[in-house]
mmCIF file with all atom_site columns, all heavy atoms in Angstrom:
data_model
loop_
_atom_site.group_PDB
_atom_site.id
_atom_site.type_symbol
_atom_site.label_atom_id
_atom_site.label_alt_id
_atom_site.label_comp_id
_atom_site.label_asym_id
_atom_site.label_entity_id
_atom_site.label_seq_id
_atom_site.pdbx_PDB_ins_code
_atom_site.Cartn_x
_atom_site.Cartn_y
_atom_site.Cartn_z
_atom_site.occupancy
_atom_site.B_iso_or_equiv
_atom_site.pdbx_formal_charge
_atom_site.auth_seq_id
_atom_site.auth_comp_id
_atom_site.auth_asym_id
_atom_site.auth_atom_id
_atom_site.pdbx_PDB_model_num
ATOM 1   N N   . TYR A 1 34 ? -7.946 5.696  11.538 1.00 98.00 ? 136 TYR A N   1
ATOM 2   C CA  . TYR A 1 34 ? -6.619 5.876  10.949 1.00 98.00 ? 136 TYR A CA  1
ATOM 3   C C   . TYR A 1 34 ? -6.044 7.212  11.410 1.00 98.00 ? 136 TYR A C   1
ATOM 4   O O   . TYR A 1 34 ? -6.785 8.158  11.667 1.00 98.00 ? 136 TYR A O   1
ATOM 5   C CB  . TYR A 1 34 ? -6.678 5.922  9.416  1.00 98.00 ? 136 TYR A CB  1
ATOM 6   C CG  . TYR A 1 34 ? -7.212 4.706  8.724  1.00 98.00 ? 136 TYR A CG  1
ATOM 7   C CD1 . TYR A 1 34 ? -8.582 4.513  8.557  1.00 98.00 ? 136 TYR A CD1 1
ATOM 8   C CD2 . TYR A 1 34 ? -6.354 3.770  8.159  1.00 98.00 ? 136 TYR A CD2 1
ATOM 9   C CE1 . TYR A 1 34 ? -9.084 3.401  7.884  1.00 98.00 ? 136 TYR A CE1 1
ATOM 10  C CE2 . TYR A 1 34 ? -6.844 2.661  7.475  1.00 98.00 ? 136 TYR A CE2 1
ATOM 11  C CZ  . TYR A 1 34 ? -8.209 2.489  7.348  1.00 98.00 ? 136 TYR A CZ  1
ATOM 12  O OH  . TYR A 1 34 ? -8.699 1.398  6.668  1.00 98.00 ? 136 TYR A OH  1
ATOM 13  N N   . GLU A 1 35 ? -4.713 7.295  11.434 1.00 98.00 ? 137 GLU A N   1
ATOM 14  C CA  . GLU A 1 35 ? -4.071 8.552  11.824 1.00 98.00 ? 137 GLU A CA  1
ATOM 15  C C   . GLU A 1 35 ? -2.863 8.826  10.943 1.00 98.00 ? 137 GLU A C   1
ATOM 16  O O   . GLU A 1 35 ? -2.088 7.917  10.622 1.00 98.00 ? 137 GLU A O   1
ATOM 17  C CB  . GLU A 1 35 ? -3.639 8.469  13.295 1.00 98.00 ? 137 GLU A CB  1
ATOM 18  C CG  . GLU A 1 35 ? -3.092 9.766  13.859 1.00 98.00 ? 137 GLU A CG  1
ATOM 19  C CD  . GLU A 1 35 ? -2.826 9.647  15.350 1.00 98.00 ? 137 GLU A CD  1
ATOM 20  O OE1 . GLU A 1 35 ? -1.927 8.861  15.737 1.00 98.00 ? 137 GLU A OE1 1
ATOM 21  O OE2 . GLU A 1 35 ? -3.515 10.317 16.132 1.00 98.00 ? 137 GLU A OE2 1
ATOM 22  N N   . PHE A 1 36 ? -2.706 10.089 10.574 1.00 98.00 ? 138 PHE A N   1
ATOM 23  C CA  . PHE A 1 36 ? -1.554 10.538 9.786  1.00 98.00 ? 138 PHE A CA  1
ATOM 24  C C   . PHE A 1 36 ? -0.328 10.607 10.685 1.00 98.00 ? 138 PHE A C   1
ATOM 25  O O   . PHE A 1 36 ? -0.390 11.113 11.809 1.00 98.00 ? 138 PHE A O   1
ATOM 26  C CB  . PHE A 1 36 ? -1.860 11.929 9.206  1.00 98.00 ? 138 PHE A CB  1
ATOM 27  C CG  . PHE A 1 36 ? -0.688 12.623 8.568  1.00 98.00 ? 138 PHE A CG  1
ATOM 28  C CD1 . PHE A 1 36 ? -0.125 12.150 7.397  1.00 98.00 ? 138 PHE A CD1 1
ATOM 29  C CD2 . PHE A 1 36 ? -0.145 13.771 9.146  1.00 98.00 ? 138 PHE A CD2 1
ATOM 30  C CE1 . PHE A 1 36 ? 0.947  12.800 6.811  1.00 98.00 ? 138 PHE A CE1 1
ATOM 31  C CE2 . PHE A 1 36 ? 0.930  14.431 8.558  1.00 98.00 ? 138 PHE A CE2 1
ATOM 32  C CZ  . PHE A 1 36 ? 1.473  13.944 7.388  1.00 98.00 ? 138 PHE A CZ  1
ATOM 33  N N   . ILE A 1 37 ? 0.807  10.057 10.197 1.00 96.00 ? 139 ILE A N   1
ATOM 34  C CA  . ILE A 1 37 ? 2.061  10.080 10.958 1.00 96.00 ? 139 ILE A CA  1
ATOM 35  C C   . ILE A 1 37 ? 3.115  10.801 10.125 1.00 96.00 ? 139 ILE A C   1
ATOM 36  O O   . ILE A 1 37 ? 3.460  10.374 9.020  1.00 96.00 ? 139 ILE A O   1
ATOM 37  C CB  . ILE A 1 37 ? 2.529  8.643  11.298 1.00 96.00 ? 139 ILE A CB  1
ATOM 38  C CG1 . ILE A 1 37 ? 1.442  7.918  12.112 1.00 96.00 ? 139 ILE A CG1 1
ATOM 39  C CG2 . ILE A 1 37 ? 3.840  8.683  12.085 1.00 96.00 ? 139 ILE A CG2 1
ATOM 40  C CD1 . ILE A 1 37 ? 1.683  6.424  12.248 1.00 96.00 ? 139 ILE A CD1 1
ATOM 41  N N   . ASN A 1 38 ? 3.623  11.898 10.670 1.00 96.00 ? 140 ASN A N   1
ATOM 42  C CA  . ASN A 1 38 ? 4.608  12.743 9.994  1.00 96.00 ? 140 ASN A CA  1
ATOM 43  C C   . ASN A 1 38 ? 6.015  12.281 10.379 1.00 96.00 ? 140 ASN A C   1
ATOM 44  O O   . ASN A 1 38 ? 6.692  12.899 11.187 1.00 96.00 ? 140 ASN A O   1
ATOM 45  C CB  . ASN A 1 38 ? 4.364  14.206 10.407 1.00 96.00 ? 140 ASN A CB  1
ATOM 46  C CG  . ASN A 1 38 ? 5.288  15.178 9.691  1.00 96.00 ? 140 ASN A CG  1
ATOM 47  O OD1 . ASN A 1 38 ? 6.054  14.801 8.811  1.00 96.00 ? 140 ASN A OD1 1
ATOM 48  N ND2 . ASN A 1 38 ? 5.221  16.434 10.096 1.00 96.00 ? 140 ASN A ND2 1
ATOM 49  N N   . ARG A 1 39 ? 6.438  11.154 9.791  1.00 93.00 ? 141 ARG A N   1
ATOM 50  C CA  . ARG A 1 39 ? 7.729  10.563 10.158 1.00 93.00 ? 141 ARG A CA  1
ATOM 51  C C   . ARG A 1 39 ? 8.905  11.501 9.894  1.00 93.00 ? 141 ARG A C   1
ATOM 52  O O   . ARG A 1 39 ? 9.887  11.512 10.612 1.00 93.00 ? 141 ARG A O   1
ATOM 53  C CB  . ARG A 1 39 ? 7.955  9.269  9.358  1.00 93.00 ? 141 ARG A CB  1
ATOM 54  C CG  . ARG A 1 39 ? 7.288  8.043  9.935  1.00 93.00 ? 141 ARG A CG  1
ATOM 55  C CD  . ARG A 1 39 ? 7.730  6.829  9.130  1.00 93.00 ? 141 ARG A CD  1
ATOM 56  N NE  . ARG A 1 39 ? 7.059  5.615  9.545  1.00 93.00 ? 141 ARG A NE  1
ATOM 57  C CZ  . ARG A 1 39 ? 6.911  4.546  8.780  1.00 93.00 ? 141 ARG A CZ  1
ATOM 58  N NH1 . ARG A 1 39 ? 7.377  4.547  7.538  1.00 93.00 ? 141 ARG A NH1 1
ATOM 59  N NH2 . ARG A 1 39 ? 6.301  3.471  9.226  1.00 93.00 ? 141 ARG A NH2 1
ATOM 60  N N   . GLY A 1 40 ? 8.803  12.291 8.835  1.00 96.00 ? 142 GLY A N   1
ATOM 61  C CA  . GLY A 1 40 ? 9.906  13.182 8.458  1.00 96.00 ? 142 GLY A CA  1
ATOM 62  C C   . GLY A 1 40 ? 9.906  14.504 9.183  1.00 96.00 ? 142 GLY A C   1
ATOM 63  O O   . GLY A 1 40 ? 10.741 15.368 8.881  1.00 96.00 ? 142 GLY A O   1
ATOM 64  N N   . LYS A 1 41 ? 8.982  14.692 10.116 1.00 97.00 ? 143 LYS A N   1
ATOM 65  C CA  . LYS A 1 41 ? 8.872  15.956 10.885 1.00 97.00 ? 143 LYS A CA  1
ATOM 66  C C   . LYS A 1 41 ? 8.794  17.167 9.954  1.00 97.00 ? 143 LYS A C   1
ATOM 67  O O   . LYS A 1 41 ? 9.418  18.201 10.173 1.00 97.00 ? 143 LYS A O   1
ATOM 68  C CB  . LYS A 1 41 ? 10.067 16.141 11.843 1.00 97.00 ? 143 LYS A CB  1
ATOM 69  C CG  . LYS A 1 41 ? 10.369 14.935 12.729 1.00 97.00 ? 143 LYS A CG  1
ATOM 70  C CD  . LYS A 1 41 ? 9.258  14.658 13.721 1.00 97.00 ? 143 LYS A CD  1
ATOM 71  C CE  . LYS A 1 41 ? 9.591  13.487 14.639 1.00 97.00 ? 143 LYS A CE  1
ATOM 72  N NZ  . LYS A 1 41 ? 8.432  12.956 15.352 1.00 97.00 ? 143 LYS A NZ  1
ATOM 73  N N   . HIS A 1 42 ? 8.031  17.034 8.888  1.00 97.00 ? 144 HIS A N   1
ATOM 74  C CA  . HIS A 1 42 ? 7.891  18.128 7.928  1.00 97.00 ? 144 HIS A CA  1
ATOM 75  C C   . HIS A 1 42 ? 7.078  19.268 8.537  1.00 97.00 ? 144 HIS A C   1
ATOM 76  O O   . HIS A 1 42 ? 6.145  19.043 9.314  1.00 97.00 ? 144 HIS A O   1
ATOM 77  C CB  . HIS A 1 42 ? 7.209  17.622 6.653  1.00 97.00 ? 144 HIS A CB  1
ATOM 78  C CG  . HIS A 1 42 ? 7.898  16.444 6.031  1.00 97.00 ? 144 HIS A CG  1
ATOM 79  N ND1 . HIS A 1 42 ? 9.051  16.553 5.310  1.00 97.00 ? 144 HIS A ND1 1
ATOM 80  C CD2 . HIS A 1 42 ? 7.598  15.107 6.063  1.00 97.00 ? 144 HIS A CD2 1
ATOM 81  C CE1 . HIS A 1 42 ? 9.434  15.353 4.896  1.00 97.00 ? 144 HIS A CE1 1
ATOM 82  N NE2 . HIS A 1 42 ? 8.573  14.462 5.349  1.00 97.00 ? 144 HIS A NE2 1
ATOM 83  N N   . HIS A 1 43 ? 7.420  20.489 8.159  1.00 97.00 ? 145 HIS A N   1
ATOM 84  C CA  . HIS A 1 43 ? 6.710  21.684 8.625  1.00 97.00 ? 145 HIS A CA  1
ATOM 85  C C   . HIS A 1 43 ? 5.676  22.071 7.578  1.00 97.00 ? 145 HIS A C   1
ATOM 86  O O   . HIS A 1 43 ? 5.984  22.178 6.383  1.00 97.00 ? 145 HIS A O   1
ATOM 87  C CB  . HIS A 1 43 ? 7.705  22.832 8.839  1.00 97.00 ? 145 HIS A CB  1
ATOM 88  C CG  . HIS A 1 43 ? 7.057  24.100 9.289  1.00 97.00 ? 145 HIS A CG  1
ATOM 89  N ND1 . HIS A 1 43 ? 6.515  25.026 8.407  1.00 97.00 ? 145 HIS A ND1 1
ATOM 90  C CD2 . HIS A 1 43 ? 6.829  24.580 10.536 1.00 97.00 ? 145 HIS A CD2 1
ATOM 91  C CE1 . HIS A 1 43 ? 5.997  26.031 9.099  1.00 97.00 ? 145 HIS A CE1 1
ATOM 92  N NE2 . HIS A 1 43 ? 6.179  25.789 10.390 1.00 97.00 ? 145 HIS A NE2 1
ATOM 93  N N   . PHE A 1 44 ? 4.445  22.263 8.013  1.00 98.00 ? 146 PHE A N   1
ATOM 94  C CA  . PHE A 1 44 ? 3.369  22.608 7.087  1.00 98.00 ? 146 PHE A CA  1
ATOM 95  C C   . PHE A 1 44 ? 3.062  24.099 7.186  1.00 98.00 ? 146 PHE A C   1
ATOM 96  O O   . PHE A 1 44 ? 2.869  24.621 8.290  1.00 98.00 ? 146 PHE A O   1
ATOM 97  C CB  . PHE A 1 44 ? 2.122  21.771 7.380  1.00 98.00 ? 146 PHE A CB  1
ATOM 98  C CG  . PHE A 1 44 ? 2.320  20.312 7.092  1.00 98.00 ? 146 PHE A CG  1
ATOM 99  C CD1 . PHE A 1 44 ? 2.733  19.434 8.094  1.00 98.00 ? 146 PHE A CD1 1
ATOM 100 C CD2 . PHE A 1 44 ? 2.156  19.823 5.805  1.00 98.00 ? 146 PHE A CD2 1
ATOM 101 C CE1 . PHE A 1 44 ? 2.951  18.088 7.816  1.00 98.00 ? 146 PHE A CE1 1
ATOM 102 C CE2 . PHE A 1 44 ? 2.365  18.484 5.515  1.00 98.00 ? 146 PHE A CE2 1
ATOM 103 C CZ  . PHE A 1 44 ? 2.772  17.620 6.522  1.00 98.00 ? 146 PHE A CZ  1
ATOM 104 N N   . PRO A 1 45 ? 3.014  24.802 6.041  1.00 97.00 ? 147 PRO A N   1
ATOM 105 C CA  . PRO A 1 45 ? 2.816  26.250 6.069  1.00 97.00 ? 147 PRO A CA  1
ATOM 106 C C   . PRO A 1 45 ? 1.417  26.627 6.532  1.00 97.00 ? 147 PRO A C   1
ATOM 107 O O   . PRO A 1 45 ? 0.491  25.812 6.511  1.00 97.00 ? 147 PRO A O   1
ATOM 108 C CB  . PRO A 1 45 ? 3.045  26.654 4.607  1.00 97.00 ? 147 PRO A CB  1
ATOM 109 C CG  . PRO A 1 45 ? 2.739  25.434 3.816  1.00 97.00 ? 147 PRO A CG  1
ATOM 110 C CD  . PRO A 1 45 ? 3.147  24.274 4.676  1.00 97.00 ? 147 PRO A CD  1
ATOM 111 N N   . GLU A 1 46 ? 1.273  27.862 6.940  1.00 97.00 ? 148 GLU A N   1
ATOM 112 C CA  . GLU A 1 46 ? -0.015 28.375 7.400  1.00 97.00 ? 148 GLU A CA  1
ATOM 113 C C   . GLU A 1 46 ? -1.074 28.202 6.302  1.00 97.00 ? 148 GLU A C   1
ATOM 114 O O   . GLU A 1 46 ? -0.815 28.447 5.129  1.00 97.00 ? 148 GLU A O   1
ATOM 115 C CB  . GLU A 1 46 ? 0.112  29.860 7.758  1.00 97.00 ? 148 GLU A CB  1
ATOM 116 C CG  . GLU A 1 46 ? -1.137 30.453 8.383  1.00 97.00 ? 148 GLU A CG  1
ATOM 117 C CD  . GLU A 1 46 ? -0.984 31.938 8.697  1.00 97.00 ? 148 GLU A CD  1
ATOM 118 O OE1 . GLU A 1 46 ? 0.151  32.446 8.656  1.00 97.00 ? 148 GLU A OE1 1
ATOM 119 O OE2 . GLU A 1 46 ? -2.013 32.581 8.976  1.00 97.00 ? 148 GLU A OE2 1
ATOM 120 N N   . GLY A 1 47 ? -2.255 27.733 6.695  1.00 97.00 ? 149 GLY A N   1
ATOM 121 C CA  . GLY A 1 47 ? -3.348 27.542 5.750  1.00 97.00 ? 149 GLY A CA  1
ATOM 122 C C   . GLY A 1 47 ? -3.347 26.193 5.061  1.00 97.00 ? 149 GLY A C   1
ATOM 123 O O   . GLY A 1 47 ? -4.215 25.915 4.219  1.00 97.00 ? 149 GLY A O   1
ATOM 124 N N   . PHE A 1 48 ? -2.373 25.335 5.419  1.00 98.00 ? 150 PHE A N   1
ATOM 125 C CA  . PHE A 1 48 ? -2.298 24.012 4.781  1.00 98.00 ? 150 PHE A CA  1
ATOM 126 C C   . PHE A 1 48 ? -3.566 23.206 5.054  1.00 98.00 ? 150 PHE A C   1
ATOM 127 O O   . PHE A 1 48 ? -4.091 22.538 4.165  1.00 98.00 ? 150 PHE A O   1
ATOM 128 C CB  . PHE A 1 48 ? -1.067 23.245 5.284  1.00 98.00 ? 150 PHE A CB  1
ATOM 129 C CG  . PHE A 1 48 ? -0.746 22.013 4.486  1.00 98.00 ? 150 PHE A CG  1
ATOM 130 C CD1 . PHE A 1 48 ? 0.130  22.070 3.422  1.00 98.00 ? 150 PHE A CD1 1
ATOM 131 C CD2 . PHE A 1 48 ? -1.346 20.788 4.780  1.00 98.00 ? 150 PHE A CD2 1
ATOM 132 C CE1 . PHE A 1 48 ? 0.427  20.932 2.668  1.00 98.00 ? 150 PHE A CE1 1
ATOM 133 C CE2 . PHE A 1 48 ? -1.071 19.651 4.039  1.00 98.00 ? 150 PHE A CE2 1
ATOM 134 C CZ  . PHE A 1 48 ? -0.178 19.724 2.968  1.00 98.00 ? 150 PHE A CZ  1
ATOM 135 N N   . ASP A 1 49 ? -4.061 23.307 6.293  1.00 98.00 ? 151 ASP A N   1
ATOM 136 C CA  . ASP A 1 49 ? -5.266 22.542 6.649  1.00 98.00 ? 151 ASP A CA  1
ATOM 137 C C   . ASP A 1 49 ? -6.466 22.970 5.819  1.00 98.00 ? 151 ASP A C   1
ATOM 138 O O   . ASP A 1 49 ? -7.285 22.145 5.405  1.00 98.00 ? 151 ASP A O   1
ATOM 139 C CB  . ASP A 1 49 ? -5.571 22.668 8.144  1.00 98.00 ? 151 ASP A CB  1
ATOM 140 C CG  . ASP A 1 49 ? -5.754 24.108 8.600  1.00 98.00 ? 151 ASP A CG  1
ATOM 141 O OD1 . ASP A 1 49 ? -5.215 25.032 7.940  1.00 98.00 ? 151 ASP A OD1 1
ATOM 142 O OD2 . ASP A 1 49 ? -6.427 24.324 9.632  1.00 98.00 ? 151 ASP A OD2 1
ATOM 143 N N   . VAL A 1 50 ? -6.546 24.263 5.539  1.00 97.00 ? 152 VAL A N   1
ATOM 144 C CA  . VAL A 1 50 ? -7.668 24.785 4.732  1.00 97.00 ? 152 VAL A CA  1
ATOM 145 C C   . VAL A 1 50 ? -7.593 24.225 3.312  1.00 97.00 ? 152 VAL A C   1
ATOM 146 O O   . VAL A 1 50 ? -8.600 23.780 2.738  1.00 97.00 ? 152 VAL A O   1
ATOM 147 C CB  . VAL A 1 50 ? -7.647 26.333 4.711  1.00 97.00 ? 152 VAL A CB  1
ATOM 148 C CG1 . VAL A 1 50 ? -8.736 26.881 3.797  1.00 97.00 ? 152 VAL A CG1 1
ATOM 149 C CG2 . VAL A 1 50 ? -7.798 26.890 6.128  1.00 97.00 ? 152 VAL A CG2 1
ATOM 150 N N   . ALA A 1 51 ? -6.383 24.256 2.741  1.00 97.00 ? 153 ALA A N   1
ATOM 151 C CA  . ALA A 1 51 ? -6.193 23.743 1.370  1.00 97.00 ? 153 ALA A CA  1
ATOM 152 C C   . ALA A 1 51 ? -6.491 22.245 1.303  1.00 97.00 ? 153 ALA A C   1
ATOM 153 O O   . ALA A 1 51 ? -7.103 21.760 0.339  1.00 97.00 ? 153 ALA A O   1
ATOM 154 C CB  . ALA A 1 51 ? -4.773 24.036 0.902  1.00 97.00 ? 153 ALA A CB  1
ATOM 155 N N   . LEU A 1 52 ? -6.054 21.508 2.328  1.00 98.00 ? 154 LEU A N   1
ATOM 156 C CA  . LEU A 1 52 ? -6.296 20.058 2.336  1.00 98.00 ? 154 LEU A CA  1
ATOM 157 C C   . LEU A 1 52 ? -7.793 19.765 2.469  1.00 98.00 ? 154 LEU A C   1
ATOM 158 O O   . LEU A 1 52 ? -8.324 18.876 1.785  1.00 98.00 ? 154 LEU A O   1
ATOM 159 C CB  . LEU A 1 52 ? -5.511 19.397 3.467  1.00 98.00 ? 154 LEU A CB  1
ATOM 160 C CG  . LEU A 1 52 ? -5.621 17.869 3.567  1.00 98.00 ? 154 LEU A CG  1
ATOM 161 C CD1 . LEU A 1 52 ? -5.162 17.189 2.276  1.00 98.00 ? 154 LEU A CD1 1
ATOM 162 C CD2 . LEU A 1 52 ? -4.801 17.348 4.754  1.00 98.00 ? 154 LEU A CD2 1
#
Side-chain angles (χ1 to χ4, degrees):
Y136 299 84
E137 186 174 66
F138 170 68
I139 301 168
N140 183 5
R141 277 186 185 157
K143 310 294 182 196
H144 305 283
H145 179 274
F146 293 93
E148 186 181 347
F150 192 92
D151 57 335
V152 176
L154 182 58

